[in-house]
Structures are given as C-alpha cells and as structure tokens.
Amino acid sequence: MVRIKDIAQRAGVSTTTVSNVIHQNTKKVSPENIQKINQLIDEMGYIQRKGFNVIRNERSGLIAVVANSHKTYEESLLGDPFYGQIIGFIESRLRELGYYMMFYSAPDIDDIFKMIMEWDVDGVIALTFSANNCEKLKHFINKPIVSIDAHEIPSQSTTIQNIGIDNREGGFIMGKHLLSLGYENIFVCAHKDYGNDHLRFEGVQDAWRASDSPNKHKLQLCIIGSTWEYRQNYYKELVRHMPFKYKTAAFFLSDYCAMEAMSYILNSGFSVPKDIGICGFDGIIYGSLWVSPSLTTIKQDIRGKAILAVDELVAQLTNSEYKGINQILPLSLQSRESV
C-alpha cells in the first residue's frame, strides 16, 4: 500500500506538505508542488485511509445529509421521488468532489441532532428543516451547514444559508393558471397546513383574491395527511362527490400525491381532466413521461438545487472566510394534459 511517506520521498518534500495537499490545505504549498504531488498520487495509486483521519483530528470527508421526515410515506421519506432525486444528485456531486455521503432521516429532530454529534462529519446538508432547528444544529456541532428548503427563516437572518424556492410564488403561478382555464372550485391538497405547504396555499389565495373572474366559487385547503391510509380516505371522499356541479381542480402540493390521486380517480371510472383537473408541484420526471394524462405542475430545478447546496457547503469547508448567502431558484409552470 502506498503511504504518504512514499509520495513525499518521490516528490522531494516533507510528509506534512503531502498531507496538506491531500486535505486541500494548500495556502503554504507552491503551485509546482501541488501539481507534482497530485500527479504522484494518481501515478502511485494512493488511497486515503479515512479511518485514521478521525483519530488524527483530520477531516473525515464525510457529509451528513439529514431530513426531518414529517412527510412520511408508506415505504419511507424516499418513497417520494422528489427526495430520491435530490439525494441522488447530492451524493453524485459529493463523490465528484471527493466526499462521502451519510443519509439519515427521522421524525424526531432530537434523534437527528444526536446522530450528527456522534459522527465525525465535516458538514451537514439539512433537508426541509425549520429555521429554528437549523440554528440549533449549527450551535451543537459548530460546523458548516447548508439547508435546502428551510422554512420560517427570518427575513434578516444571516446565520442560515438556505437553497430554496419562492413557495408562495409557486402557489400563485398555479392558482392564476387554474383560474385562467375557468376552474371555479380549487382544492389545494396539502400534507399539513404548515411550513412550505402553507406558503404554497397562501400563494393560491393571493391569485384567488387578485382574480376578477365572475365564475370562481370556492377555494379550499384540504389536509390529506402523510400515510397512504389517510390519503386513500381523502381520495375516496373526493370521488364520492363526483361529478361536481362546478368546474373543479385539485392542486396537490407534491407531484407524488398528484399522480397517486390521479391513478385512484382513473381506476374509479372517472376522467382527468374532464371530471376533475389534477396538478402538482415539483416537476419530477415521472409526471411528464410515465403518467397519462401527463401532469401539469410547478417545476423546480431539483438537480440545480442539490448541486448548489453541495458546492456552497464545500466552499465553506475549503475557505474559512467564505460567507454563504441564501439563494432562491426560479420556478416555471409546466402546462400539460391533466388540467
């Protein structure tokens, strides 16, 4: 096995210099030596032994990706393809940059805090945490943290770096679109009236109030729950009221549930969008390729969100003076056949 000592001898430098290059601590290393050492690392097939890094108080190369699974599905949080996609993109980008990912999900936020403090992670990417829990986590571990889709962030916050979207704007875009198509009833279907789901409903309310359509009849928030059993009861109740007296659309605040509901409705002998319009939020690939009719949705850049979160975290790890900023990624309406 190739050792740091072997590379140092070939390069004519100290073992400390080689170690600094391996761990990207190169402020005092010349560009010529950096190039020479990296070339020897490749040529000699050096493999970093991660287990020793913890003992020597060096970086572990381990990034924790954690999720507070308040959205629970029958299988797991990863049952929603949105989370599967974003975690997959995070892992791929971390691997490209030489890091390892550890994923942990729990409904109890204290379990997540405990897990992170037990492991020697270099940094954390937190999915759908509240701002308060992001602050607590940062206080406990004192290491770089980037959040994705954090909610309840104070407008003047400078301590939480979040990569997100304007959820209220997304709701407004879909609400305005449905009203423009002549829908008179709009059911906004959320897991809970909380966090980002609440902001999306507020956006639909904004569009409803701004519309001068003479045909609008009822805007209603429907809590469909987090388990399949709970959601199935909602779908059953929805079908029981068909056909509707007024032109009706159901706006599900995730594509996963929109596709699930559409399958239930079609299997019950009704038509989409003739009997009810169905639309979603996220823009996962299955909505355009694998369901019929294809799903109208608010599309967000899932890949871009994941890569930006990783790049921002790594920037903090490699530059002690780096100060990240909150970033809001754009949304777009994908108008298809389901409404």
Side-chain angles (χ1 to χ4, degrees):
M1 178 179 288
V2 177
R3 301 168 299 174
I4 289 178
K5 181 179 178 180
D6 302 326
I7 297 171
Q9 288 177 344
R10 286 276 301 273
V13 299
S14 69
T15 55
T16 300
T17 299
V18 175
S19 180
N20 284 338
V21 171
I22 289 171
H23 298 100
Q24 301 179 23
N25 183 20
T26 56
K27 289 182 180 179
K28 297 181 180 180
V29 185
S30 69
E32 294 79 11
N33 278 338
I34 294 172
Q35 182 178 358
K36 185 195 303 182
I37 291 166
N38 281 327
Q39 186 174 341
L40 287 170
I41 287 170
D42 291 338
E43 289 177 359
M44 299 173 70
Y46 171 76
I47 298 174
Q48 188 178 353
R49 291 181 289 177
K50 297 290 181 183
F52 288 96
N53 293 346
V54 177
I55 297 171
R56 296 170 179 170
N57 292 319
E58 298 175 3
R59 286 183 179 167
S60 65
L62 190 63
I63 303 298
V65 177
V66 294
N68 188 202
S69 53
H70 52 278
K71 286 184 180 178
T72 0
Y73 295 94
E74 193 79 354
E75 303 82 4
S76 71
L77 176 133
L78 295 180
D80 185 337
F82 169 79
Y83 287 99
Q85 279 190 265
I86 202 164
I87 291 168
F89 288 133
I90 288 172
E91 191 281 330
S92 178
R93 184 59 173 166
L94 284 171
R95 188 157 26 93
E96 284 179 13
L97 298 177
Y99 292 87
Y100 295 86
M101 184 186 85
M102 176 172 66
F103 175 68
Y104 187 79
S105 169
D108 188 337
I109 196 71
D110 289 334
D111 289 343
I112 295 175
F113 292 157
K114 181 181 177 183
M115 185 282 298
I116 292 174
M117 288 186 287
E118 288 175 346
W119 286 81
D120 185 61
V121 299
D122 288 344
V124 176
I125 296 175
L127 300 177
T128 61
F129 273 37
S130 69
N132 184 50
N133 285 331
C134 287
E135 295 277 16
K136 285 183 182 178
L137 185 56
K138 194 172 184 68
H139 172 74
F140 286 148
I141 68 171
N142 195 30
K143 290 183 180 180
I145 298 172
V146 173
S147 63
I148 295 178
D149 293 333
H151 50 90
E152 300 177 338
I153 299 178
S155 58
Q156 303 302 316
S157 174
T158 58
T159 58
I160 301 170
Q161 186 182 4
N162 183 57
I163 311 299
I165 56 174
D166 187 336
N167 287 282
R168 188 165 186 155
E169 175 66 14
F172 179 84
I173 292 170
M174 184 60 80
K176 183 178 178 181
H177 179 62
L178 293 174
L179 288 165
S180 74
L181 295 176
Y183 282 98
E184 300 161 289
N185 285 343
I186 300 177
F187 301 142
V188 179
C189 305
H191 291 284
K192 295 181 179 180
D193 185 16
Y194 175 73
N196 293 330
D197 278 4
H198 178 75
L199 292 173
R200 293 172 188 181
F201 175 60
E202 285 188 337
V204 181
Q205 286 182 308
D206 293 342
W208 186 269
R209 285 189 289 261
S211 170
D212 58 3
S213 170
N215 298 320
K216 62 184 184 182
H217 178 68
K218 181 169 68 173
L219 171 63
Q220 181 178 341
L221 176 64
C222 304
I223 305 303
I224 65 173
S226 299
T227 66
W228 160 244
E229 186 175 35
Y230 201 112
R231 296 195 305 275
Q232 187 180 37
N233 287 335
Y234 174 74
Y235 305 150
K236 190 180 298 183
E237 186 68 11
L238 192 64
V239 165
R240 191 174 70 83
H241 287 86
M242 293 182 183
F244 294 98
K245 179 179 178 181
Y246 299 93
K247 186 177 181 181
T248 299
F251 175 24
F252 289 85
L253 299 185
S254 76
D255 285 351
Y256 178 91
C257 289
M259 293 186 295
E260 186 180 71
M262 186 156 61
S263 175
Y264 189 96
I265 290 164
L266 294 173
N267 288 335
S268 298
F270 292 95
S271 174
V272 175
K274 181 181 177 182
D275 294 314
I276 186 171
I278 300 290
C279 52
F281 198 114
D282 286 332
I284 61 176
I285 192 170
Y286 309 115
S288 61
L289 298 180
W290 294 0
V291 296
S292 181
S294 57
L295 183 67
T296 293
T297 186
I298 297 295
K299 180 178 174 60
Q300 56 174 308
D301 185 357
I302 301 173
R303 182 176 183 275
K305 184 182 283 187
I307 289 175
L308 186 55
V310 172
D311 289 352
E312 292 294 306
L313 184 69
V314 171
Q316 291 186 50
L317 288 169
T318 55
N319 181 356
S320 60
E321 298 179 359
Y322 177 80
K323 301 296 182 184
I325 57 173
N326 294 330
Q327 301 199 44
I328 303 297
L329 276 63
L331 298 166
S332 62
L333 172 69
Q334 304 292 300
S335 180
R336 301 192 181 112
E337 301 166 342
S338 63
V339 295

